[in-house]
Amino acid sequence: MRERPFLSPRTKALVVAGLAAACGVVAGVVAHYQVDTLHRAGFAAVCVLLIYGAGSLSHAVLTAPQGRS
C-alpha cells in the first residue's frame, strides 16, 4: 500500500481556504440567478462570509512566522 504524500499544516490551511473561496463564488453565482429576493440576499450573505473568511484565513497563514518552536 502506498503512503500518502505529506502535506504541511500551512498547505492544508490554504487548501481549506481555497475550497471555502470556491464555495463562496458558487454561492455568489447562485445568488445572481435567484428570483426570490430573500434567497438572493441569503446566498449573497453566504458568499460574502465565505470569501471574507477564506481571505482572512489565507492572510493569517501567509503572514504567520515560519519555523518550528
Side-chain angles (χ1 to χ4, degrees):
M1 190 168 179
R2 277 181 23 174
E3 284 187 39
R4 288 192 210 172
F6 174 73
L7 291 176
S8 69
R10 179 181 174 133
T11 304
K12 290 178 185 177
L14 290 175
V15 167
V16 169
L19 290 172
C23 290
V25 169
V26 169
V29 170
V30 170
H32 178 72
Y33 288 107
Q34 281 293 323
V35 177
D36 185 15
T37 306
L38 183 62
H39 287 107
R40 180 178 286 180
F43 278 114
V46 168
C47 170
V48 168
L49 289 174
L50 283 173
I51 291 177
Y52 178 77
S56 297
L57 176 61
S58 60
H59 176 71
V61 168
L62 293 176
T63 58
Q66 294 294 309
R68 298 179 183 194
S69 54

